[in-house]
Amino acid sequence: MASGSDRNPIIIGGLPSQVPDFDPEETQEWLDSLDAAVDERGRERARYLMLRLIERAREKRVAVPEMRSTDYVNTIATKDEPFFPGNEEIERRILNATRWNAAVMVSRAQRPGIGVGGHIATFASSASLYDVGFNHFFRGKDEGDGGDQIFFQGHASPGIYARAFLLDRLSEQQLDAFRQEKSKAPYGLSSYPHPRLMPDFWEFPTVSMGLGPLGAIFQARMNRYMEAREIADTSKSHVWAFLGDGEMDEPESLGQLTIAAREHLDNLTFVVNCNLQRLDGPVRGNGKVIQELESVFRGAGWNVIKLVWDRSWDPLLAQDRDGVLVNKMNTTPDGQFQTYATETGSYIRDHFFGDDTRLRAMVEGMTDDQILHLGRGGHDHKKIFAAFAAAKAHKGQPTVILAKTVKGWTLGPNFEGRNATHQMKKLTVADLKGFRDRLHLPISDKELESGAPPYYHPGRDSEEIQYMHDRRKSHGGYVPTRVVRAKPLTLPGEKTYASVKKGSGQQSIATTMAFVRLLKDLMRDKEIGRRFVLIAPDEYRTFGMDSFFPSAKIYNPLGQQYEAVDRDLLLAYKESPTGQMLHDGISEAGCTASLIAAGSAYATHGEPLIPVYVFYSMFGFQRTGDQFWQMADQLARGFVLGATAGRTTLTGEGLQHADGHSQLLASTNPGCVAYDPAYSYEIAYIVQDGLRRMYGPDSEDVFYYLTVYNEPIQHPAEPTSVDVDGILKGIHRVGEATSGSIPAQVIASGVAVPWALEAQKILAAEWNVKADVWSATSWNELRREAVAVEQHNLLHPEEEQRVPYVTRKLGAAEGPFVAVSDWMRSVPDQISRWVPGTYQSLGADGFGFADTRGAARRHFHIDAQSIVVAVLTELAKEGKVDRSVLKQAIDRYQLLDVAAADPGAAGGDA
C-alpha cells in the first residue's frame, strides 16, 4: 500500500514542513543511500544510521521536526507484505462459525428467565485479529515451557469461548451456561477472563480496564528477569496484549510504556483494537485516536505499526499520485468515519469522495456497493498477518499495532458502528437472518424462527475443524490454557527462623526491621533463596533494605554503566543484569504488576517465585486495590508488606501517609491473608506458615499481607509455651496478669501491644485491676473463620453447632474486653459479636496529622492511659468499680490535654 512517503507529512511538531527541494538529484542520492543501507545491511543498521544523523543534525543545530505521527495509512506497504501461509477461504469459514456462536451464546443468555447479559460487539470488531493469532502466532504450552502469554480483551471473551467450542474444548451445555457459574455448575462459564473461576482455561484477568496493558508490560519484563537469573528459559515466549482504543484512556494503560522501551522488551506486542468507540460513543469524535496513540507510543520509544485499511483500498491508493486521497484520510475525524460505517455507498461517494473532483474520479468505475465495502485493515487477514509478523520480527523495541476496525462488524446495520452497540445483547429474528446470510451459514429460517437460535458446528471431521486442530498442534497446543506444573518447594527448617524467634534482646527495633532480618536469613537458603523477588517503589532505604544492594543487587538488563556516587560505601547502590531486586521507581502500580507477574510464575512458567513487595502501607491497598483484586483473580502468591503502618506511628508525615485502614481494605479481598504482628517471633511463625501454605505440598491460592511498623520496640523471645496455633489463627495471650483482683481483658494488635502491656501495669498498680493482654495477630482471620462457622451452622442445623475460634479462645477469660490498635475501630470491631462478654474498641478514626506519636495517640485516645480509662469505664458499667473513678482517672492522666502526653520515641528506623 502506498505510504505517502513521497509527500511532505502534514502532522509535524514545531517546524514548517513545506520546504522546497532545490536539488532533487542530491535528494535522490541521499534516498538511494538509505535504500542501499536497508537492502545490504538490514533495517536495524539503517535505523542506527538514521539515529546518528539526527543526533549529528542536533549537534550542528539543524532544526529537524519530530515525526510524531505519519499519514493515516498502513505502515507496511503492500509490496512489503509477506506471503500469507494460511488458507484464507478455510479461515474465513472458521471465523464465520466463531462469530455466529459468540453472538448466539450471548443472545441465548438473554432468554426469558435468565437475562444475564453479555457483550458481542467488541469481539465482532476484533475477531479477525484473534483468528490470525490463533492460526499463525500464539504459542501453547505443549512444548513444556510457558508458551506465549496472551492478555485477551475482557469484553471479547464470548469469541474465545466460541472458538473453544469448535475445538471441543467446551460443550454446548457450557456455552448455554455462560454467566451462570453457580446455577449451572459445573458447566458455568465466567463472564470475562477470570482464572480463579476457570483455573484450567484463563491465565490473565483483564476486564478491569487498564490493568491488562499494565500487566502485559510487567509480564514481558518478568520473562526477561527470569531468563536473566536462569530460573526459566523464556526466550520463546511472546506477550500479546489485546486492548481497546477507549481503554487507552485509563492512566494505567499508558503510564508504564517507557519501562518497556527502556528495557527493550521486543518480546511484547500491544494490539489495540481501534474501533473508534468507547462504551457510549466515539473515543475521539473530533479527533483521530490512531494518530494520537501513534504519537504517544512513538514518543515513549515503541515501534508503531498502523493497520488502517484493507486490501480493497490498495488500487485507489496506488492511483493517489498527488496525495489527495491520503490527505482526505488524514483530515477526516473519527466521528465522521463512524458515520460512514453506518451509511450507504452513495452517501460515502458524495461525502468522502465527492468534495474533490480527483477523488470522485478515482471511484467513477466503482458501484455504490463496492464503495460501501471499502474496509478497515483490522478485518483483513493478510494485512493482519503482515502486521503480526513484523511485530514478532522487530528487535530492540516493544511494538504496538493500531488496528482500525468497526465495532459490531458483521452483526448487521442495527449493530455496526452504532453508539449503543456495546450495550446491545440480543439479536432479533431479522437480525439473525441477516447475520446468517452475511456469514453464509447453512442454517434454515425455521431454526431461527422456532425458539433459541442454534449453535453452528461444521462437524468434527470437517475441513475447517481439522485445519484448526492442525494449526494449534503446530504452535504448541491450545490457548488459552492455564497449566500448573510447578513442584512444591523444599522449605527451610526451624534453624532459619531461630534467630528472629530469640527476639531483639536489649536492642529496640521496628517490626519492619525484624522482617528484614528474617528475609535475609531466608534468602541465604540454598533451596529457595534465589527464588525471592524483592520489590519496592523507590523506598528500599526507608525500609532498611539497602543492606541487600551489594549482595542481591538491583535488576537492570543493561547493568550499571556509571560509577555510583556511593561506590565507596559498604551499602553502595548496585545494579546488575542478574539482580534480584526490582526497583520500579515511584510507581505502586508498576510494583504491584511486578508482584502479580512474579507471584503467578509458578503457573505461567512452572517455576515458583516468592515475591516480597514492601511499600508505604498507605499507598498499597488504597492506591492499587484494583490490582490486588486482579492478583487474587490471577491466583498469584507472595508476601505483601505494608510498612510504616498505623495512623499514629509515622506521624511526622501527616495526613496522606497515615494508614489506619489498609487492614480493613485487605479484609475485603478473599484471597488475602492479613496479619498485624507485634513481635518478631510472631512474624517468624506467620512467614513460615505462609511459605508452607503458598509453596508447600498442598499449596493454596492466597497471598499474605503483613503490616509492619517503623517504631522501635524491644522484642521478647518466644515463650517456652508459645501458642503457635493462636498466632496463626489470629489471637494468643502475651501478658497474663500477675497482680490485681478485678479481672479484665485487653486485646491489641501490632504496635498497640506495648501500650496494652503498659496499661496492664497501670491498671494493676493504681486500680487493682487484673488485666490479661492478648495479641490479635489477625482481626481479619478471626472474623473470616467466625463467618465460616456461622454459615455452616446456618445450613446444618441438625448437626452439633460449631463455635468460632475467637469465642473458644476467650471463653475462659473474664471480661470486660477492650480492644485497641493503631487502626480505625472498624478493624477490631470485626470480631465484636463473637467475643464472649462486654466489648469496647478504641481506634484511630479520622484523618491522620503530623505531631509526636504521644500527642497523636492521646488525640485518638488509644494510648496506655486511654486504655486504662476504657477498661475502668467497662468495669463501671458492670458495677465492678465505682463510676467516680472515671473522672479521677481522666483528670489524673490529663486525657483531655493532648500536650500533656509523653511524646514517646522520636523518629524511628524502618
Side-chain angles (χ1 to χ4, degrees), residues 249-281:
D249 286 342
E250 288 283 6
E252 294 87 352
S253 296
L254 301 175
Q256 294 292 308
L257 295 184
T258 54
I259 191 172
R262 188 166 65 246
E263 299 197 5
H264 310 300
L265 297 181
D266 50 23
N267 60 339
L268 171 66
T269 298
F270 277 14
V271 182
V272 184
N273 175 25
C274 298
N275 57 34
L276 314 186
Q277 288 186 243
R278 294 192 184 117
L279 308 187
D280 286 334

Short mmCIF file of all heavy atoms in Angstrom, two decimals, residues 249-281:
data_model
loop_
_atom_site.label_atom_id
_atom_site.label_comp_id
_atom_site.label_asym_id
_atom_site.label_seq_id
_atom_site.Cartn_x
_atom_site.Cartn_y
_atom_site.Cartn_z
N ASP A 249 -7.59 5.30 27.45
CA ASP A 249 -7.80 6.50 28.28
C ASP A 249 -7.43 6.25 29.74
O ASP A 249 -7.17 7.20 30.49
CB ASP A 249 -9.27 6.94 28.22
CG ASP A 249 -9.63 7.59 26.90
OD1 ASP A 249 -8.72 8.01 26.18
OD2 ASP A 249 -10.83 7.67 26.59
N GLU A 250 -7.43 4.98 30.17
CA GLU A 250 -7.07 4.67 31.54
C GLU A 250 -5.60 5.02 31.77
O GLU A 250 -4.73 4.66 30.97
CB GLU A 250 -7.28 3.19 31.84
CG GLU A 250 -8.74 2.77 31.95
CD GLU A 250 -9.36 3.17 33.28
OE1 GLU A 250 -8.70 3.88 34.07
OE2 GLU A 250 -10.51 2.78 33.52
N PRO A 251 -5.26 5.72 32.87
CA PRO A 251 -3.87 6.08 33.10
C PRO A 251 -2.95 4.87 33.17
O PRO A 251 -1.79 4.92 32.75
CB PRO A 251 -3.90 6.82 34.44
CG PRO A 251 -5.30 6.96 34.84
CD PRO A 251 -6.17 6.25 33.88
N GLU A 252 -3.46 3.74 33.70
CA GLU A 252 -2.63 2.54 33.80
C GLU A 252 -2.25 1.98 32.43
O GLU A 252 -1.23 1.29 32.29
CB GLU A 252 -3.35 1.45 34.61
CG GLU A 252 -3.58 1.77 36.06
CD GLU A 252 -4.87 2.54 36.31
OE1 GLU A 252 -5.52 2.96 35.32
OE2 GLU A 252 -5.23 2.74 37.47
N SER A 253 -3.06 2.27 31.42
CA SER A 253 -2.79 1.73 30.09
C SER A 253 -1.51 2.30 29.50
O SER A 253 -0.77 1.60 28.80
CB SER A 253 -3.96 2.04 29.14
OG SER A 253 -5.14 1.40 29.54
N LEU A 254 -1.25 3.56 29.75
CA LEU A 254 -0.12 4.25 29.13
C LEU A 254 0.96 4.63 30.13
O LEU A 254 2.05 5.04 29.74
CB LEU A 254 -0.60 5.52 28.42
CG LEU A 254 -1.65 5.32 27.32
CD1 LEU A 254 -2.14 6.67 26.79
CD2 LEU A 254 -1.10 4.48 26.18
N GLY A 255 0.68 4.47 31.40
CA GLY A 255 1.56 5.01 32.43
C GLY A 255 2.92 4.36 32.52
O GLY A 255 3.86 4.95 33.07
N GLN A 256 3.09 3.14 32.01
CA GLN A 256 4.36 2.44 32.15
C GLN A 256 4.97 2.07 30.79
O GLN A 256 5.75 1.13 30.68
CB GLN A 256 4.17 1.18 33.00
CG GLN A 256 3.80 1.46 34.44
CD GLN A 256 4.93 2.11 35.22
OE1 GLN A 256 6.05 1.62 35.23
NE2 GLN A 256 4.64 3.23 35.86
N LEU A 257 4.59 2.79 29.74
CA LEU A 257 5.12 2.49 28.41
C LEU A 257 6.63 2.63 28.35
O LEU A 257 7.31 1.85 27.67
CB LEU A 257 4.49 3.41 27.36
CG LEU A 257 2.99 3.28 27.10
CD1 LEU A 257 2.59 4.22 25.96
CD2 LEU A 257 2.59 1.86 26.80
N THR A 258 7.17 3.60 29.05
CA THR A 258 8.60 3.88 28.91
C THR A 258 9.47 2.76 29.45
O THR A 258 10.56 2.53 28.94
CB THR A 258 8.97 5.20 29.60
OG1 THR A 258 8.52 5.16 30.96
CG2 THR A 258 8.33 6.38 28.88
N ILE A 259 9.00 2.05 30.48
CA ILE A 259 9.84 0.97 31.01
C ILE A 259 9.99 -0.13 29.96
O ILE A 259 11.05 -0.76 29.84
CB ILE A 259 9.28 0.41 32.33
CG1 ILE A 259 10.31 -0.51 32.99
CG2 ILE A 259 7.97 -0.35 32.12
CD1 ILE A 259 9.93 -0.96 34.38
N ALA A 260 8.95 -0.36 29.16
CA ALA A 260 9.03 -1.38 28.11
C ALA A 260 10.05 -0.98 27.05
O ALA A 260 10.79 -1.82 26.53
CB ALA A 260 7.65 -1.59 27.48
N ALA A 261 10.08 0.31 26.71
CA ALA A 261 11.06 0.78 25.73
C ALA A 261 12.45 0.84 26.32
O ALA A 261 13.43 0.46 25.68
CB ALA A 261 10.64 2.16 25.22
N ARG A 262 12.54 1.30 27.56
CA ARG A 262 13.84 1.45 28.21
C ARG A 262 14.55 0.11 28.35
O ARG A 262 15.78 0.03 28.25
CB ARG A 262 13.64 2.09 29.58
CG ARG A 262 14.90 2.49 30.30
CD ARG A 262 14.60 3.40 31.47
NE ARG A 262 13.82 2.77 32.53
CZ ARG A 262 12.59 3.12 32.87
NH1 ARG A 262 11.98 4.10 32.22
NH2 ARG A 262 11.96 2.53 33.85
N GLU A 263 13.78 -0.95 28.59
CA GLU A 263 14.37 -2.27 28.76
C GLU A 263 14.30 -3.11 27.49
O GLU A 263 14.52 -4.32 27.52
CB GLU A 263 13.72 -2.98 29.94
CG GLU A 263 13.92 -2.22 31.25
CD GLU A 263 13.65 -3.05 32.48
OE1 GLU A 263 13.39 -4.27 32.35
OE2 GLU A 263 13.69 -2.49 33.59
N HIS A 264 13.96 -2.47 26.36
CA HIS A 264 14.00 -3.12 25.04
C HIS A 264 13.16 -4.41 25.01
O HIS A 264 13.63 -5.45 24.54
CB HIS A 264 15.44 -3.43 24.64
CG HIS A 264 16.37 -2.28 24.78
ND1 HIS A 264 16.20 -1.09 24.09
CD2 HIS A 264 17.50 -2.11 25.54
CE1 HIS A 264 17.17 -0.24 24.41
NE2 HIS A 264 17.96 -0.83 25.29
N LEU A 265 11.95 -4.32 25.49
CA LEU A 265 11.11 -5.51 25.57
C LEU A 265 10.49 -5.84 24.21
O LEU A 265 9.30 -5.63 23.97
CB LEU A 265 10.02 -5.31 26.63
CG LEU A 265 10.51 -5.10 28.07
CD1 LEU A 265 9.34 -4.94 29.02
CD2 LEU A 265 11.42 -6.24 28.51
N ASP A 266 11.31 -6.36 23.31
CA ASP A 266 10.80 -6.75 22.00
C ASP A 266 10.06 -8.08 22.05
O ASP A 266 9.66 -8.61 21.01
CB ASP A 266 11.93 -6.79 20.96
CG ASP A 266 13.13 -7.58 21.42
OD1 ASP A 266 12.99 -8.45 22.30
OD2 ASP A 266 14.24 -7.34 20.90
N ASN A 267 9.86 -8.61 23.26
CA ASN A 267 9.02 -9.79 23.45
C ASN A 267 7.59 -9.41 23.79
O ASN A 267 6.82 -10.22 24.28
CB ASN A 267 9.59 -10.68 24.56
CG ASN A 267 9.67 -9.95 25.91
OD1 ASN A 267 9.68 -8.71 25.96
ND2 ASN A 267 9.73 -10.70 27.00
N LEU A 268 7.24 -8.17 23.51
CA LEU A 268 5.92 -7.63 23.86
C LEU A 268 5.27 -6.96 22.66
O LEU A 268 5.90 -6.17 21.98
CB LEU A 268 6.09 -6.60 24.99
CG LEU A 268 4.87 -5.76 25.37
CD1 LEU A 268 3.76 -6.64 25.96
CD2 LEU A 268 5.26 -4.67 26.37
N THR A 269 4.00 -7.29 22.42
CA THR A 269 3.22 -6.63 21.37
C THR A 269 1.86 -6.25 21.92
O THR A 269 1.12 -7.10 22.44
CB THR A 269 3.03 -7.55 20.15
OG1 THR A 269 4.30 -7.87 19.58
CG2 THR A 269 2.16 -6.88 19.10
N PHE A 270 1.53 -4.98 21.82
CA PHE A 270 0.18 -4.49 22.08
C PHE A 270 -0.59 -4.52 20.75
O PHE A 270 -0.07 -4.07 19.73
CB PHE A 270 0.19 -3.04 22.56
CG PHE A 270 0.44 -2.86 24.04
CD1 PHE A 270 0.93 -3.89 24.83
CD2 PHE A 270 0.19 -1.64 24.64
CE1 PHE A 270 1.16 -3.70 26.18
CE2 PHE A 270 0.42 -1.43 25.99
CZ PHE A 270 0.90 -2.47 26.77
N VAL A 271 -1.80 -5.04 20.77
CA VAL A 271 -2.69 -4.96 19.62
C VAL A 271 -3.90 -4.14 20.07
O VAL A 271 -4.73 -4.62 20.84
CB VAL A 271 -3.13 -6.35 19.13
CG1 VAL A 271 -4.03 -6.21 17.90
CG2 VAL A 271 -1.91 -7.22 18.82
N VAL A 272 -3.95 -2.90 19.64
CA VAL A 272 -5.03 -2.01 20.05
C VAL A 272 -6.13 -2.06 19.00
O VAL A 272 -5.93 -1.67 17.84
CB VAL A 272 -4.54 -0.57 20.25
CG1 VAL A 272 -5.68 0.30 20.77
CG2 VAL A 272 -3.35 -0.53 21.21
N ASN A 273 -7.28 -2.56 19.41
CA ASN A 273 -8.44 -2.67 18.54
C ASN A 273 -9.10 -1.30 18.43
O ASN A 273 -9.90 -0.91 19.28
CB ASN A 273 -9.41 -3.71 19.12
CG ASN A 273 -10.70 -3.80 18.34
OD1 ASN A 273 -10.75 -3.48 17.17
ND2 ASN A 273 -11.76 -4.21 19.01
N CYS A 274 -8.74 -0.56 17.41
CA CYS A 274 -9.24 0.81 17.24
C CYS A 274 -10.54 0.81 16.46
O CYS A 274 -10.58 1.11 15.26
CB CYS A 274 -8.18 1.67 16.55
SG CYS A 274 -6.64 1.83 17.47
N ASN A 275 -11.63 0.44 17.16
CA ASN A 275 -12.94 0.53 16.51
C ASN A 275 -13.54 1.92 16.69
O ASN A 275 -14.70 2.14 16.33
CB ASN A 275 -13.87 -0.57 17.00
CG ASN A 275 -14.08 -0.57 18.51
OD1 ASN A 275 -14.10 0.50 19.13
ND2 ASN A 275 -14.23 -1.74 19.10
N LEU A 276 -12.75 2.83 17.25
CA LEU A 276 -13.08 4.26 17.38
C LEU A 276 -14.21 4.52 18.36
O LEU A 276 -14.69 5.65 18.45
CB LEU A 276 -13.42 4.88 16.01
CG LEU A 276 -12.49 4.55 14.84
CD1 LEU A 276 -12.88 5.36 13.61
CD2 LEU A 276 -11.02 4.78 15.20
N GLN A 277 -14.62 3.49 19.14
CA GLN A 277 -15.75 3.68 20.05
C GLN A 277 -15.40 3.28 21.47
O GLN A 277 -14.70 2.30 21.71
CB GLN A 277 -16.95 2.83 19.60
CG GLN A 277 -17.61 3.37 18.35
CD GLN A 277 -18.86 2.61 18.01
OE1 GLN A 277 -18.95 1.98 16.97
NE2 GLN A 277 -19.84 2.64 18.90
N ARG A 278 -15.91 4.06 22.41
CA ARG A 278 -15.90 3.67 23.81
C ARG A 278 -17.15 2.85 24.07
O ARG A 278 -17.72 2.25 23.16
CB ARG A 278 -15.92 4.92 24.70
CG ARG A 278 -14.68 5.81 24.62
CD ARG A 278 -14.74 6.84 25.77
NE ARG A 278 -13.64 7.78 25.70
CZ ARG A 278 -13.79 9.08 25.51
NH1 ARG A 278 -14.99 9.58 25.31
NH2 ARG A 278 -12.74 9.87 25.49
N LEU A 279 -17.61 2.83 25.32
CA LEU A 279 -18.82 2.08 25.64
C LEU A 279 -20.08 2.86 25.27
O LEU A 279 -21.12 2.27 25.02
CB LEU A 279 -18.85 1.73 27.13
CG LEU A 279 -17.58 1.05 27.67
CD1 LEU A 279 -17.81 0.59 29.10
CD2 LEU A 279 -17.18 -0.12 26.79
N ASP A 280 -19.98 4.19 25.26
CA ASP A 280 -21.16 5.01 24.99
C ASP A 280 -21.13 5.74 23.66
O ASP A 280 -22.17 6.20 23.19
CB ASP A 280 -21.32 6.08 26.09
CG ASP A 280 -21.83 5.48 27.39
OD1 ASP A 280 -22.50 4.44 27.35
OD2 ASP A 280 -21.55 6.06 28.45
N GLY A 281 -19.98 5.89 23.06
CA GLY A 281 -19.89 6.66 21.82
C GLY A 281 -18.47 6.72 21.33
O GLY A 281 -17.63 5.90 21.71
#
